[in-house]
């Protein structure tokens, strides 16, 4: 399912950012067969759209965007996760990988609920930033490559898939985000250190 304005890829970003964008990237993920969506801030704040598409959890990857609590008309509270990334230089590879790990957790988490938790039910996951073109696309592509290597054997295959379903140009995501993803993969391949050795 894709909810995008007509010829969205041809719209100026400022125009597209005023409209809800929601694109299914992959289905059947995790133990509960969840679908993974990419979209923008407007879609993540649209309760009717989220209810219609079965989205009950969102992850915001924008350091410059705060999302308010949201309850759907059926009483389901949207579970919000926030990993604040800068859209460009300035992020550590570890921060990007935190987004990937959080996404994996969201797709595999049970939702039994507790009396003191807001009402929630299992559903699909939307990953977004402000526009859903750079930070979101990078994290999702890195997740697809690491979680589904048989289908996405390298990062380029994964990012091209995300570009296609989201309707992105070749210059998106931002080059700095693509470099960051490749740096993260290098860290993983050489033995990730959570913290660099302390210097005194």
């Amino acid at each position: 399912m894709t909810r995008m304005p007509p010829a969205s890829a041809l719209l100026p970003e400022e125009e597209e950012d005023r409209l809800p964008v929601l694109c299914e990237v992959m289905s059947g993920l995790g133990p509960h067969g969840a679908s993974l969506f990419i979209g923008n801030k407007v879609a993540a704040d649209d309760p009717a759209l989220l209810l219609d598409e079965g989205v009950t959890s969102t992850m915001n990857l924008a350091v410059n965007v705060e999302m308010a609590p949201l309850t759907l008309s059926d009483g389901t509270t949207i579970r919000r996760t926030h990993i604040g990334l800068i859209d460009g230089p300035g992020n550590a590879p570890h921060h990007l990988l935190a987004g990937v790990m959080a996404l994996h957790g969201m797709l595999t988490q049970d939702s039994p609920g507790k009396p003191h938790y807001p009402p929630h039910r299992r559903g699909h996951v939307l990953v977004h930033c402000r526009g859903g073109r750079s930070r979101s696309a990078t994290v999702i592509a890195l997740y697809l490559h690491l979680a589904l290597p048989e289908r996405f054997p390298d990062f380029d295959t994964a990012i091209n898939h995300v570009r296609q379903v989201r309707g992105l140009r070749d210059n998106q995501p931002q080059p700095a985000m693509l470099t960051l993803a490749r740096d993260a993969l290098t860290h993983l391949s050489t033995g990730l250190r959570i913290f660099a050795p302390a210097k005194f």
Side-chain angles (χ1 to χ4, degrees):
M1 175 62 66
T2 299
R3 296 289 183 92
M4 294 175 67
S8 175
L10 303 177
L11 288 175
E13 289 184 8
E14 297 77 17
E15 287 186 39
E16 188 187 77
D17 288 346
R18 291 193 289 268
L19 302 167
V21 174
L22 185 70
C23 308
E24 186 177 36
V25 177
M26 186 70 55
S27 62
L29 296 172
H32 311 297
S35 289
L36 173 60
F37 290 84
I38 187 171
N40 63 0
K41 175 186 181 296
V42 176
D45 212 25
D46 186 330
L49 177 59
L50 298 181
L51 180 66
D52 189 42
E53 298 300 336
V55 173
T56 60
S57 297
T58 65
M59 180 161 65
N60 171 17
L61 292 168
V63 73
N64 57 322
V65 171
E66 296 291 336
M67 301 300 293
L70 184 66
T71 300
L72 305 182
S73 61
D74 68 353
T76 300
T77 299
I78 295 292
R79 282 191 178 165
R80 302 283 207 194
T81 298
H82 189 183
I83 304 286
L85 296 173
I86 298 165
D87 191 16
N91 302 294
H94 303 68
H95 207 167
L96 185 69
L97 289 169
V100 173
M101 296 303 290
L103 176 56
H104 178 69
M106 294 171 72
L107 288 164
T108 57
Q109 184 180 50
D110 286 323
S111 298
K114 294 186 178 183
H116 57 286
Y117 285 10
H120 183 75
R121 60 180 170 79
R122 186 178 296 132
H124 304 310
V125 175
L126 165 62
V127 176
H128 72 95
C129 42
R130 181 181 57 83
R133 289 177 289 265
S134 189
R135 291 165 282 195
S136 303
T138 303
V139 166
I140 289 175
L142 195 54
Y143 169 78
L144 292 176
H145 167 52
L146 293 172
L148 303 169
E150 66 286 351
R151 179 159 182 183
F152 303 99
D154 51 56
F155 178 70
D156 287 337
T157 302
I159 197 66
N160 286 335
H161 173 72
V162 176
R163 281 181 179 132
Q164 181 179 6
V165 299
R166 173 60 181 84
L168 297 177
R169 302 178 179 93
D170 289 343
N171 64 346
Q172 295 168 324
Q174 282 207 30
M177 296 305 298
L178 298 177
T179 299
L180 182 68
R182 294 186 173 95
D183 287 348
L185 289 170
T186 298
H187 276 271
L188 290 176
S189 67
T190 58
L192 179 68
R193 292 181 65 105
I194 301 300
F195 301 109
K199 295 181 181 178
F200 298 101

